[in-house]
Amino acid sequence: MSRDLLHLTVAAIVCFEQKFLLVEEKDKLTGQRVLNQPAGHVEQNEDLLGAVKRELLEETGLILEPSAWLGISQLKAANGHRYVRLNIVFEPSSLPAQYQPQDSDILALHWYSANELSQAALPLRSRLVSDAISLYTQGVRLPLSLIQPTR
């Protein structure tokens, strides 16, 4: 596989009052509206936690601190690319009164319980979304200390 087809990504699994924050966006391959966690590529010279906090801010307007992580997910997508994704947990005790996406690709923000998400009108971007929520609801929490900082 060409290195150009391998992508290192991060996703923010935000849970507040037993609901998960999802972004509504257009799938670039199909043009269909889909639900995803705030997520994206790790950029050059960026560490993993910095990348997920940046993606969270860009896609939701929220500045939060991570509390744990769920591990690494992998997906071979329909476009032939392979995505390696670190799922980082955010469990805020409160949220600001106002927040909104900074990224114009984000069409809306939605809060769903795990059960509501299974009934959502829009499809999930990929199984990575439901896999992360499943791990979270199963109680998986890995300490952030297992992600070594950049030196």
Side-chain angles (χ1 to χ4, degrees), residues 6-141:
L6 180 64
H7 303 273
L8 177 59
T9 63
V10 291
I13 314 308
V14 182
C15 187
F16 179 69
E17 297 181 345
Q18 300 177 343
K19 292 197 174 208
F20 296 93
L21 179 58
L22 293 141
V23 297
E24 181 179 332
E25 61 191 2
K26 276 194 177 176
D27 183 289
K28 289 177 177 70
L29 190 61
T30 66
Q32 182 178 27
R33 287 178 176 235
V34 294
L35 296 173
N36 195 9
Q37 279 106 1
H41 289 81
V42 177
E43 295 180 358
Q44 187 174 352
N45 299 319
E46 190 172 45
D47 72 16
L48 298 170
L49 296 181
V52 74
K53 291 194 285 187
R54 175 188 52 75
E55 288 290 348
L56 181 64
L57 174 62
E58 288 175 0
E59 295 192 6
T60 70
L62 289 169
I63 299 171
L64 302 174
E65 288 301 317
S67 57
W69 66 301
L70 301 175
I72 297 170
S73 300
Q74 299 182 73
L75 175 74
K76 185 165 185 188
N79 62 7
H81 293 230
R82 184 171 304 275
Y83 294 86
V84 177
R85 180 185 195 206
L86 277 80
N87 298 296
I88 312 293
V89 174
F90 294 79
E91 300 170 298
S93 57
S94 64
L95 293 173
Q98 298 282 327
Y99 53 94
Q100 63 184 20
Q102 314 294 305
D103 183 338
S104 60
D105 287 343
I106 304 304
L107 306 172
L109 302 177
H110 302 279
W111 289 95
Y112 289 105
S113 69
N115 190 46
E116 289 168 340
L117 187 57
S118 67
Q119 314 290 321
L122 293 175
L124 302 179
R125 173 135 191 176
S126 75
R127 69 166 173 76
L128 297 179
V129 176
S130 55
D131 288 354
I133 289 174
S134 178
L135 287 170
Y136 183 91
T137 58
Q138 291 170 36
V140 172
R141 303 289 186 285

